[in-house]
Coordinates of all heavy atoms in Angstrom, one line a residue:
M593 N 122.1 49.1 81.2 CA 123.0 48.3 82.0 C 124.4 48.3 81.3 O 124.5 48.2 80.1 CB 122.5 46.9 82.2 CG 123.4 46.0 83.0 SD 122.6 44.5 83.3 CE 123.9 43.6 84.0
I594 N 125.5 48.4 82.1 CA 126.8 48.4 81.6 C 127.3 47.0 81.7 O 127.4 46.4 82.8 CB 127.7 49.4 82.4 CG1 127.2 50.8 82.2 CG2 129.2 49.3 81.9 CD1 127.9 51.8 83.1
S595 N 127.6 46.4 80.6 CA 128.1 45.0 80.6 C 128.9 44.9 79.3 O 129.1 45.8 78.6 CB 127.0 44.0 80.6 OG 126.2 44.1 79.4
H596 N 129.4 43.7 79.1 CA 130.2 43.4 77.9 C 130.0 42.0 77.4 O 129.6 41.1 78.2 CB 131.7 43.7 78.1 CG 132.4 42.5 78.6 ND1 132.4 42.2 80.0 CD2 133.2 41.6 78.0 CE1 133.2 41.1 80.1 NE2 133.7 40.8 79.0
S597 N 130.2 41.8 76.2 CA 130.2 40.5 75.6 C 131.6 40.1 75.1 O 132.5 41.0 75.1 CB 129.3 40.5 74.3 OG 128.0 40.9 74.7
E598 N 131.8 38.9 74.8 CA 133.1 38.4 74.3 C 133.4 39.1 73.0 O 132.5 39.3 72.1 CB 133.1 36.9 74.1 CG 133.0 36.1 75.3 CD 134.2 36.2 76.2 OE1 135.3 36.3 75.7 OE2 134.0 36.3 77.4
G599 N 134.6 39.5 72.8 CA 135.1 40.1 71.6 C 136.5 39.9 71.4 O 137.2 39.4 72.4
T600 N 137.1 40.2 70.3 CA 138.6 40.0 70.2 C 139.2 41.2 69.5 O 138.5 42.0 68.9 CB 138.9 38.8 69.3 OG1 138.3 39.0 68.0 CG2 138.4 37.5 69.9
I601 N 140.5 41.4 69.8 CA 141.2 42.4 69.2 C 142.6 41.9 68.9 O 143.1 41.0 69.7 CB 141.3 43.7 70.2 CG1 141.9 44.8 69.5 CG2 142.1 43.4 71.4 CD1 141.8 46.1 70.2
G602 N 143.2 42.3 67.9 CA 144.6 41.8 67.5 C 144.5 40.3 67.3 O 143.8 39.8 66.5
S603 N 145.3 39.5 68.1 CA 145.4 38.1 68.0 C 144.3 37.3 68.5 O 144.2 36.1 68.5 CB 146.7 37.6 68.6 OG 146.6 37.8 70.0
G604 N 143.4 38.0 69.2 CA 142.2 37.4 69.8 C 142.5 37.0 71.3 O 141.6 36.4 71.9
A605 N 143.7 37.3 71.8 CA 144.0 36.9 73.2 C 143.4 37.9 74.2 O 143.2 37.5 75.3 CB 145.5 36.9 73.3
E606 N 143.0 39.1 73.8 CA 142.5 40.1 74.7 C 141.0 40.2 74.5 O 140.5 40.4 73.4 CB 143.2 41.4 74.5 CG 142.8 42.5 75.4 CD 143.5 43.8 75.1 OE1 144.4 43.8 74.3 OE2 143.1 44.8 75.8
R607 N 140.2 40.1 75.6 CA 138.8 40.4 75.5 C 138.5 41.9 75.6 O 139.1 42.6 76.4 CB 138.1 39.7 76.7 CG 138.1 38.2 76.6 CD 137.4 37.5 77.7 NE 136.7 38.4 78.6 CZ 136.2 38.0 79.8 NH1 136.3 36.8 80.2 NH2 135.6 38.9 80.6
V608 N 137.6 42.3 74.8 CA 137.2 43.8 74.8 C 135.7 43.9 75.0 O 135.0 43.0 74.7 CB 137.6 44.5 73.5 CG1 139.1 44.4 73.3 CG2 136.9 43.9 72.3
P609 N 135.3 45.0 75.6 CA 133.8 45.2 75.8 C 133.2 45.3 74.4 O 133.8 45.9 73.5 CB 133.7 46.5 76.6 CG 135.1 47.1 76.6 CD 136.1 46.1 76.2
D610 N 132.1 44.7 74.2 CA 131.3 44.8 73.0 C 130.7 46.2 73.0 O 129.9 46.6 73.9 CB 130.2 43.8 73.0 CG 129.5 43.7 71.6 OD1 129.3 44.8 71.0 OD2 129.2 42.6 71.2
L611 N 131.0 47.0 72.0 CA 130.5 48.4 71.9 C 129.0 48.5 71.8 O 128.4 49.5 72.1 CB 131.1 49.1 70.7 CG 132.7 49.3 70.9 CD1 133.2 50.1 69.7 CD2 133.0 50.0 72.1
R612 N 128.3 47.4 71.5 CA 126.8 47.5 71.5 C 126.3 47.5 72.9 O 125.2 47.9 73.1 CB 126.3 46.3 70.7 CG 126.6 46.4 69.2 CD 126.3 45.1 68.5 NE 127.1 44.0 69.1 CZ 127.1 42.8 68.7 NH1 126.4 42.4 67.8 NH2 127.9 41.9 69.3
D613 N 127.0 46.9 73.8 CA 126.6 46.9 75.2 C 127.0 48.0 76.0 O 126.4 48.4 77.0 CB 127.1 45.6 75.9 CG 126.4 44.3 75.3 OD1 125.3 44.5 74.7 OD2 127.1 43.3 75.3
V614 N 128.2 48.6 75.8 CA 128.7 49.7 76.5 C 128.4 51.0 75.8 O 129.0 51.3 74.8 CB 130.3 49.6 76.7 CG1 130.8 50.8 77.5 CG2 130.6 48.3 77.4
R615 N 127.4 51.7 76.3 CA 126.9 52.9 75.6 C 127.8 54.1 75.8 O 127.8 55.0 75.0 CB 125.5 53.2 75.9 CG 124.5 52.1 75.5 CD 123.1 52.5 75.8 NE 122.2 51.4 75.6 CZ 121.5 50.9 76.6 NH1 121.4 51.4 77.8 NH2 120.7 49.8 76.3
N616 N 128.4 54.2 77.0 CA 129.2 55.3 77.3 C 130.5 55.2 76.6 O 131.2 54.2 76.7 CB 129.4 55.4 78.8 CG 130.3 56.7 79.2 OD1 131.5 56.6 79.2 ND2 129.6 57.7 79.6
R617 N 130.9 56.3 75.8 CA 132.1 56.2 75.0 C 133.4 56.2 75.8 O 134.4 55.7 75.3 CB 132.1 57.4 74.0 CG 130.9 57.4 73.0 CD 130.9 56.2 72.1 NE 130.1 55.0 72.7 CZ 130.1 53.8 72.3 NH1 130.7 53.4 71.2 NH2 129.5 52.9 72.9
L618 N 133.4 56.8 77.0 CA 134.6 56.8 77.8 C 134.9 55.3 78.2 O 136.0 54.8 78.1 CB 134.5 57.6 79.0 CG 134.7 59.1 78.9 CD1 134.5 59.8 80.2 CD2 136.0 59.4 78.3
L619 N 133.9 54.6 78.7 CA 134.0 53.3 79.1 C 134.4 52.4 77.9 O 135.2 51.5 78.1 CB 132.8 52.7 79.8 CG 132.4 53.4 81.1 CD1 131.1 52.8 81.7 CD2 133.6 53.1 82.2
A620 N 133.8 52.6 76.8 CA 134.1 51.8 75.6 C 135.5 52.0 75.1 O 136.0 51.1 74.4 CB 133.0 52.1 74.5
A621 N 136.1 53.1 75.4 CA 137.4 53.5 74.8 C 138.6 53.0 75.7 O 139.7 52.9 75.2 CB 137.5 55.0 74.7
I622 N 138.3 52.6 76.9 CA 139.4 52.2 77.8 C 139.9 50.7 77.4 O 139.1 50.0 76.9 CB 139.1 52.3 79.3 CG1 138.0 51.3 79.7 CG2 138.8 53.7 79.7 CD1 137.7 51.3 81.2
P623 N 141.1 50.4 77.6 CA 141.6 49.0 77.3 C 140.8 48.0 78.1 O 140.3 48.2 79.2 CB 143.0 49.0 77.8 CG 143.4 50.5 77.7 CD 142.2 51.3 78.1
A624 N 140.6 46.8 77.4 CA 139.8 45.8 78.0 C 140.2 45.4 79.4 O 139.4 45.2 80.3 CB 139.8 44.5 77.1
F625 N 141.5 45.3 79.7 CA 142.0 44.9 81.0 C 141.6 45.9 82.0 O 141.1 45.5 83.1 CB 143.6 44.8 81.0 CG 144.2 44.6 82.3 CD1 144.1 43.3 82.9 CD2 144.8 45.6 83.0 CE1 144.6 43.0 84.1 CE2 145.3 45.3 84.3 CZ 145.2 44.1 84.8
E626 N 141.7 47.2 81.7 CA 141.3 48.2 82.7 C 139.8 48.2 82.9 O 139.3 48.4 84.0 CB 141.8 49.6 82.2 CG 143.3 49.7 82.3 CD 143.8 51.0 81.7 OE1 143.0 52.0 81.6 OE2 145.0 51.1 81.5
Y627 N 139.0 48.0 81.8 CA 137.6 47.9 81.9 C 137.2 46.8 82.8 O 136.3 46.9 83.7 CB 136.9 47.7 80.5 CG 135.4 47.6 80.6 CD1 134.6 48.7 80.7 CD2 134.9 46.3 80.5 CE1 133.2 48.5 80.8 CE2 133.5 46.2 80.6 CZ 132.7 47.3 80.7 OH 131.3 47.1 80.8
E628 N 137.8 45.6 82.7 CA 137.5 44.5 83.5 C 137.8 44.8 85.0 O 137.1 44.3 85.9 CB 138.3 43.2 83.1 CG 137.8 42.6 81.8 CD 136.3 42.2 81.9 OE1 135.9 41.7 83.0 OE2 135.6 42.4 80.9
Q629 N 138.8 45.6 85.3 CA 139.1 46.0 86.7 C 138.0 46.9 87.2 O 137.7 46.9 88.4 CB 140.5 46.6 86.8 CG 141.6 45.6 86.6 CD 143.0 46.3 86.8 OE1 143.2 47.4 86.3 NE2 143.9 45.6 87.4
L630 N 137.5 47.8 86.4 CA 136.5 48.7 86.8 C 135.1 48.2 86.9 O 134.3 48.6 87.7 CB 136.5 49.9 85.8 CG 135.7 51.1 86.0 CD1 136.0 51.8 87.3 CD2 135.8 52.1 84.9
R631 N 134.9 47.2 86.1 CA 133.5 46.6 85.9 C 132.8 46.2 87.2 O 131.6 46.5 87.4 CB 133.6 45.4 85.0 CG 132.3 45.0 84.5 CD 132.4 44.0 83.3 NE 131.2 43.3 83.2 CZ 131.0 42.1 82.9 NH1 132.1 41.3 82.8 NH2 129.9 41.5 82.8
P632 N 133.5 45.6 88.2 CA 132.8 45.2 89.5 C 132.3 46.4 90.2 O 131.4 46.3 91.1 CB 133.9 44.5 90.3 CG 134.9 44.1 89.3 CD 134.9 45.1 88.2
F633 N 132.8 47.6 89.9 CA 132.3 48.8 90.6 C 131.2 49.6 89.9 O 130.7 50.6 90.4 CB 133.5 49.8 90.9 CG 134.6 49.1 91.7 CD1 135.7 48.6 91.0 CD2 134.5 49.0 93.0 CE1 136.7 48.0 91.8 CE2 135.5 48.4 93.8 CZ 136.6 47.9 93.1
L634 N 130.9 49.1 88.7 CA 129.8 49.7 87.9 C 128.5 49.1 88.2 O 128.4 47.9 88.3 CB 130.1 49.6 86.4 CG 131.5 50.2 85.9 CD1 131.7 49.8 84.5 CD2 131.5 51.7 86.1
E635 N 127.5 49.9 88.3 CA 126.1 49.4 88.4 C 125.2 50.4 87.7 O 125.3 51.6 87.8 CB 125.7 49.2 89.9 CG 125.5 50.5 90.6 CD 125.0 50.2 92.1 OE1 125.9 49.9 92.9 OE2 123.8 50.4 92.3
P636 N 124.2 49.8 87.0 CA 123.2 50.7 86.3 C 122.3 51.4 87.3 O 121.9 50.8 88.3 CB 122.4 49.7 85.4 CG 122.6 48.4 86.1 CD 123.9 48.4 86.8
V637 N 122.0 52.6 87.1 CA 121.1 53.4 87.9 C 120.1 54.1 86.9 O 120.5 54.5 85.8 CB 121.7 54.4 88.9 CG1 122.5 53.6 89.9 CG2 122.6 55.4 88.1
I638 N 118.9 54.3 87.3 CA 117.9 55.1 86.6 C 117.9 56.5 87.2 O 117.6 56.6 88.4 CB 116.6 54.4 86.6 CG1 116.7 53.1 85.9 CG2 115.5 55.3 85.9 CD1 115.4 52.2 86.0
L639 N 118.2 57.5 86.4 CA 118.1 58.8 86.9 C 116.8 59.5 86.5 O 116.3 59.3 85.4 CB 119.3 59.6 86.3 CG 120.7 59.1 86.5 CD1 121.8 59.8 85.8 CD2 121.0 59.1 88.0
R640 N 116.3 60.3 87.4 CA 115.0 61.0 87.2 C 115.4 62.3 86.5 O 116.5 62.9 86.7 CB 114.3 61.3 88.5 CG 113.9 60.1 89.2 CD 113.2 60.4 90.5 NE 113.8 61.5 91.3 CZ 114.8 61.3 92.2 NH1 115.4 60.2 92.3 NH2 115.2 62.4 92.8
K641 N 114.4 62.8 85.8 CA 114.6 64.2 85.1 C 114.8 65.2 86.2 O 114.1 65.2 87.3 CB 113.3 64.5 84.3 CG 113.4 65.7 83.5 CD 112.2 65.9 82.7 CE 112.3 67.1 81.8 NZ 111.1 67.2 80.9
R642 N 115.8 66.0 86.1 CA 116.1 67.1 87.0 C 116.7 66.6 88.3 O 116.8 67.3 89.3 CB 115.0 68.0 87.3 CG 114.4 68.7 86.1 CD 113.5 69.9 86.5 NE 112.8 70.6 85.5 CZ 113.1 70.9 84.2 NH1 114.3 70.7 83.8 NH2 112.3 71.6 83.5
Q643 N 117.1 65.3 88.4 CA 117.7 64.8 89.6 C 119.1 65.5 89.8 O 119.9 65.6 88.9 CB 117.9 63.3 89.5 CG 118.6 62.7 90.7 CD 118.6 61.1 90.6 OE1 118.0 60.5 89.7 NE2 119.5 60.5 91.4
I644 N 119.4 65.9 91.0 CA 120.7 66.5 91.3 C 121.7 65.4 91.6 O 121.5 64.6 92.5 CB 120.6 67.5 92.5 CG1 119.6 68.6 92.1 CG2 121.9 68.0 92.9 CD1 119.3 69.6 93.2
L645 N 122.8 65.3 90.9 CA 123.8 64.3 91.1 C 124.9 64.7 92.0 O 125.5 63.8 92.6 CB 124.4 63.9 89.7 CG 123.3 63.4 88.7 CD1 124.0 63.0 87.4 CD2 122.6 62.2 89.2
Q646 N 125.2 66.0 92.1 CA 126.2 66.5 93.1 C 125.8 67.9 93.4 O 125.3 68.7 92.6 CB 127.6 66.3 92.5 CG 127.9 67.3 91.4 CD 129.3 67.1 90.8 OE1 129.6 66.0 90.3 NE2 130.1 68.1 90.9
E647 N 126.1 68.2 94.7 CA 125.9 69.6 95.2 C 127.3 70.2 95.4 O 128.2 69.5 95.7 CB 125.2 69.6 96.5 CG 123.7 69.2 96.4 CD 122.8 70.3 96.0 OE1 123.3 71.4 95.8 OE2 121.6 70.1 95.9
S648 N 127.3 71.5 95.2 CA 128.6 72.2 95.4 C 129.1 72.1 96.8 O 128.3 72.2 97.8 CB 128.5 73.7 95.0 OG 127.6 74.4 95.8
N649 N 130.4 71.9 97.0 CA 131.1 71.8 98.3 C 130.5 70.7 99.2 O 130.5 70.9 100.4 CB 131.1 73.1 98.9 CG 131.8 74.2 98.1 OD1 132.9 73.9 97.6 ND2 131.2 75.3 97.9
Q650 N 129.9 69.7 98.6 CA 129.3 68.6 99.4 C 130.1 67.3 99.0 O 130.5 67.2 97.9 CB 127.8 68.4 99.1 CG 127.0 69.6 99.5 CD 127.0 69.8 101.0 OE1 126.9 68.9 101.8 NE2 127.2 71.0 101.5
P651 N 130.1 66.3 100.0 CA 130.8 65.1 99.7 C 130.1 64.4 98.5 O 128.9 64.4 98.4 CB 130.6 64.2 100.9 CG 130.2 65.2 102.0 CD 129.6 66.4 101.3
M652 N 130.9 63.8 97.7 CA 130.4 63.0 96.5 C 130.8 61.6 96.7 O 131.9 61.3 97.0 CB 131.0 63.6 95.2 CG 130.6 65.0 94.9 SD 131.5 65.8 93.6 CE 131.9 64.4 92.5
A653 N 129.9 60.7 96.4 CA 130.2 59.2 96.6 C 130.3 58.5 95.2 O 130.9 57.5 95.2 CB 129.1 58.6 97.4
Y654 N 129.7 59.1 94.2 CA 129.7 58.4 92.9 C 130.1 59.2 91.7 O 129.9 60.5 91.7 CB 128.2 57.9 92.6 CG 127.7 57.0 93.8 CD1 126.8 57.5 94.7 CD2 128.1 55.7 93.9 CE1 126.3 56.7 95.7 CE2 127.7 54.9 95.0 CZ 126.8 55.4 95.8 OH 126.3 54.7 96.9
A655 N 130.5 58.6 90.7 CA 130.7 59.2 89.4 C 129.6 58.5 88.5 O 129.3 57.4 88.7 CB 132.0 58.9 88.8
Y656 N 129.0 59.3 87.6 CA 128.0 58.8 86.7 C 128.5 58.8 85.2 O 128.7 59.9 84.7 CB 126.7 59.6 86.8 CG 126.1 59.6 88.2 CD1 126.6 60.5 89.2 CD2 125.2 58.7 88.6 CE1 126.1 60.5 90.5 CE2 124.6 58.7 89.8 CZ 125.1 59.6 90.8 OH 124.6 59.6 92.0
F657 N 128.6 57.6 84.6 CA 128.9 57.5 83.2 C 127.6 57.5 82.5 O 126.8 56.5 82.5 CB 129.7 56.2 82.9 CG 131.0 56.2 83.6 CD1 131.2 55.8 84.9 CD2 132.1 56.7 82.8 CE1 132.5 55.8 85.4 CE2 133.4 56.7 83.4 CZ 133.6 56.3 84.7
I658 N 127.3 58.6 81.8 CA 126.0 58.8 81.2 C 125.9 57.8 79.9 O 126.8 57.8 79.1 CB 125.8 60.2 80.7 CG1 125.9 61.2 81.9 CG2 124.4 60.4 80.1 CD1 125.0 61.0 83.1
E659 N 124.8 57.1 79.8 CA 124.6 56.2 78.7 C 123.6 56.7 77.7 O 123.7 56.5 76.5 CB 124.1 54.8 79.2 CG 125.2 54.1 80.0 CD 124.8 52.6 80.3 OE1 123.6 52.4 80.7 OE2 125.6 51.8 80.0
R660 N 122.6 57.4 78.2 CA 121.5 58.0 77.3 C 121.1 59.3 77.9 O 121.1 59.5 79.1 CB 120.3 57.0 77.3 CG 120.5 55.8 76.4 CD 119.2 55.0 76.4 NE 118.9 54.6 77.7 CZ 118.2 53.5 78.0 NH1 117.7 52.8 77.1 NH2 118.0 53.1 79.2
G661 N 120.8 60.2 77.0 CA 120.3 61.5 77.5 C 121.5 62.4 77.8 O 122.6 62.2 77.3
A662 N 121.3 63.4 78.6 CA 122.3 64.4 78.9 C 122.1 64.9 80.4 O 121.0 64.8 80.9 CB 122.3 65.6 78.0
A663 N 123.2 65.3 80.9 CA 123.2 65.9 82.3 C 123.7 67.3 82.1 O 124.7 67.6 81.4 CB 124.1 65.1 83.3
S664 N 123.1 68.3 82.7 CA 123.5 69.7 82.7 C 124.4 70.0 83.9 O 124.1 69.5 85.0 CB 122.3 70.6 82.7 OG 121.5 70.5 81.6
L665 N 125.4 70.7 83.7 CA 126.3 71.2 84.8 C 126.0 72.6 85.1 O 126.0 73.4 84.2 CB 127.8 71.0 84.4 CG 128.2 69.6 83.9 CD1 129.6 69.5 83.5 CD2 127.9 68.6 85.1
F666 N 125.8 72.9 86.3 CA 125.5 74.3 86.7 C 126.5 74.8 87.7 O 127.1 74.0 88.5 CB 124.1 74.3 87.4 CG 122.9 74.2 86.5 CD1 122.5 72.9 86.1 CD2 122.3 75.3 85.9 CE1 121.4 72.7 85.3 CE2 121.3 75.1 85.1 CZ 120.8 73.9 84.7
S667 N 126.7 76.1 87.7 CA 127.6 76.7 88.7 C 126.7 77.9 89.3 O 125.9 78.4 88.6 CB 128.8 77.3 88.0 OG 129.6 77.9 89.0
R668 N 126.9 78.1 90.6 CA 126.1 79.2 91.2 C 127.0 80.5 91.3 O 128.1 80.4 91.6 CB 125.8 78.8 92.6 CG 124.9 77.6 92.7 CD 124.2 77.4 94.0 NE 123.5 76.2 94.1 CZ 122.3 75.9 93.6 NH1 121.7 76.9 92.9 NH2 121.7 74.8 93.7
T669 N 126.3 81.6 91.0 CA 127.0 82.9 91.0 C 126.2 83.7 92.0 O 125.0 83.5 92.3 CB 127.0 83.6 89.7 OG1 125.6 83.9 89.3 CG2 127.6 82.7 88.6
A670 N 126.9 84.7 92.7 CA 126.2 85.5 93.6 C 125.1 86.4 93.0 O 124.1 86.6 93.5 CB 127.2 86.4 94.3
R671 N 125.4 86.8 91.7 CA 124.5 87.7 91.1 C 123.3 87.0 90.4 O 122.2 87.4 90.4 CB 125.3 88.5 90.0 CG 124.4 89.6 89.3 CD 125.3 90.4 88.4 NE 124.5 90.7 87.2 CZ 125.0 90.7 86.0 NH1 126.2 90.5 85.8 NH2 124.2 90.9 85.0
D672 N 123.6 85.9 89.7 CA 122.6 85.3 88.8 C 122.1 83.9 89.3 O 121.2 83.3 88.7 CB 123.2 85.0 87.4 CG 123.5 86.3 86.7 OD1 122.8 87.3 86.9 OD2 124.6 86.4 86.1
G673 N 122.6 83.4 90.4 CA 122.2 82.1 90.9 C 122.8 81.0 90.1 O 123.9 81.1 89.7
A674 N 122.0 80.0 89.8 CA 122.4 78.8 89.0 C 122.5 79.2 87.5 O 121.6 79.7 86.9 CB 121.5 77.7 89.2
V675 N 123.7 78.9 86.9 CA 124.0 79.2 85.5 C 124.5 77.9 84.9 O 125.5 77.3 85.4 CB 125.0 80.3 85.4 CG1 125.4 80.5 83.9 CG2 124.5 81.6 86.0
E676 N 123.9 77.4 83.8 CA 124.4 76.2 83.1 C 125.7 76.5 82.5 O 125.9 77.5 81.7 CB 123.4 75.8 82.1 CG 123.8 74.4 81.5 CD 122.7 73.9 80.5 OE1 122.1 74.7 79.8 OE2 122.6 72.7 80.4
V677 N 126.7 75.7 82.8 CA 128.1 75.9 82.3 C 128.5 74.7 81.4 O 129.6 74.8 80.8 CB 129.1 76.1 83.4 CG1 128.8 77.4 84.1 CG2 129.1 74.9 84.4
G678 N 127.8 73.7 81.3 CA 128.2 72.5 80.5 C 127.1 71.5 80.4 O 126.1 71.5 81.2
I679 N 127.3 70.6 79.4 CA 126.4 69.5 79.2 C 127.2 68.2 79.0 O 128.2 68.2 78.3 CB 125.5 69.7 78.0 CG1 124.6 70.9 78.2 CG2 124.6 68.4 77.7 CD1 123.8 71.3 77.0
V680 N 126.8 67.1 79.7 CA 127.5 65.9 79.6 C 126.6 64.8 79.0 O 125.4 64.7 79.5 CB 128.0 65.4 81.0 CG1 128.7 64.0 80.9 CG2 129.0 66.4 81.6
G681 N 127.0 64.1 78.0 CA 126.2 63.0 77.4 C 127.0 61.7 77.5 O 127.9 61.5 78.4
R682 N 126.8 60.8 76.6 CA 127.4 59.5 76.6 C 128.9 59.5 76.3 O 129.5 58.5 76.3 CB 126.6 58.5 75.8 CG 126.7 58.8 74.3 CD 125.7 57.8 73.6 NE 126.0 57.9 72.2 CZ 126.5 57.0 71.4 NH1 126.8 55.8 72.0 NH2 126.7 57.1 70.2
F683 N 129.4 60.7 76.0 CA 130.9 60.8 75.7 C 131.6 61.3 77.0 O 132.8 61.6 76.9 CB 131.1 61.8 74.6 CG 130.7 61.3 73.3 CD1 129.5 61.5 72.8 CD2 131.6 60.6 72.5 CE1 129.1 61.0 71.5 CE2 131.3 60.0 71.3 CZ 130.0 60.2 70.8
G684 N 130.9 61.3 78.1 CA 131.6 61.8 79.3 C 131.1 61.2 80.6 O 130.4 60.2 80.6
L685 N 131.3 61.9 81.7 CA 130.8 61.5 83.0 C 130.6 62.7 83.9 O 131.1 63.8 83.7 CB 131.9 60.6 83.7 CG 133.1 61.2 84.2 CD1 133.3 60.9 85.7 CD2 134.3 60.7 83.4
V686 N 129.8 62.5 84.9 CA 129.5 63.5 85.9 C 130.2 62.9 87.2 O 130.0 61.8 87.6 CB 128.0 63.6 86.2 CG1 127.7 64.5 87.4 CG2 127.3 64.1 85.0
G687 N 131.0 63.8 87.9 CA 131.7 63.4 89.1 C 133.2 63.2 88.9 O 133.8 62.3 89.5
V688 N 133.8 64.1 88.1 CA 135.2 64.0 87.8 C 136.0 64.0 89.1 O 137.0 63.2 89.3 CB 135.7 65.1 86.9 CG1 137.2 65.1 86.8 CG2 135.0 64.9 85.5
P689 N 135.7 64.8 90.2 CA 136.5 64.7 91.4 C 136.5 63.3 92.0 O 137.6 62.9 92.6 CB 135.7 65.7 92.3 CG 135.1 66.7 91.4 CD 134.7 65.9 90.2
V690 N 135.5 62.5 91.9 CA 135.5 61.2 92.5 C 136.5 60.3 91.8 O 137.3 59.6 92.4 CB 134.1 60.5 92.4 CG1 134.1 59.1 92.8 CG2 133.1 61.3 93.3
V691 N 136.5 60.4 90.4 CA 137.5 59.7 89.6 C 138.9 60.1 89.9 O 139.8 59.3 89.9 CB 137.2 59.9 88.1 CG1 138.2 59.2 87.3 CG2 135.8 59.3 87.8
L692 N 139.1 61.4 90.3 CA 140.5 61.9 90.6 C 140.9 61.7 92.0 O 142.0 62.0 92.4 CB 140.5 63.4 90.2 CG 140.4 63.7 88.7 CD1 140.4 65.2 88.5 CD2 141.4 63.0 87.9
G693 N 140.0 61.1 92.8 CA 140.4 60.7 94.2 C 140.0 61.7 95.3 O 140.5 61.5 96.4
T694 N 139.2 62.6 95.0 CA 138.7 63.5 96.1 C 137.2 63.3 96.3 O 136.6 62.8 95.4 CB 139.0 65.0 95.7 OG1 138.6 65.8 96.8 CG2 138.3 65.5 94.5
S695 N 136.7 63.7 97.4 CA 135.3 63.4 97.6 C 134.4 64.7 97.6 O 133.2 64.6 97.8 CB 135.1 62.7 99.0 OG 135.6 63.6 100.0
Y696 N 135.0 65.8 97.3 CA 134.2 67.1 97.3 C 134.3 67.7 95.9 O 135.3 67.7 95.2 CB 134.8 68.1 98.3 CG 134.4 67.8 99.7 CD1 135.1 66.9 100.5 CD2 133.2 68.3 100.2 CE1 134.7 66.6 101.7 CE2 132.8 68.0 101.5 CZ 133.6 67.1 102.3 OH 133.2 66.8 103.5
S697 N 133.1 68.2 95.5 CA 133.1 69.0 94.3 C 133.7 70.4 94.5 O 133.3 71.1 95.5 CB 131.6 69.1 93.8 OG 131.5 70.1 92.8
P698 N 134.6 70.9 93.6 CA 135.1 72.2 93.8 C 134.2 73.3 93.4 O 134.5 74.5 93.6 CB 136.4 72.2 93.0 CG 136.0 71.2 91.9 CD 135.1 70.2 92.5
H699 N 133.1 73.0 92.8 CA 132.2 74.0 92.3 C 130.9 74.1 93.0 O 130.2 73.1 93.1 CB 131.9 73.8 90.8 CG 133.2 73.7 90.0 ND1 134.0 74.8 89.8 CD2 133.8 72.7 89.5 CE1 135.1 74.4 89.1 NE2 135.0 73.2 88.9

């Protein structure tokens, strides 16, 4: 679950997410004010092994901030079919187009 506890930084006037609760490093690295604005839109989900999170050229509704494990990124080629092109773990996210304001995956 993505949540935060009380913490302090600098003079203690700013609340920051407790790094023990926020496992995704991207979320843990953003300023506390921005995290608090994003927090109402975050919800924990349990992903199944081999679950497809986005299809090429299909609408995307969510971005996934990985907390544990890894997600494989595949691209389809005419000759070889699906080819793994990347891996995302707790230092990243799946669904960059959603974060950038578009609803379709370019791949």
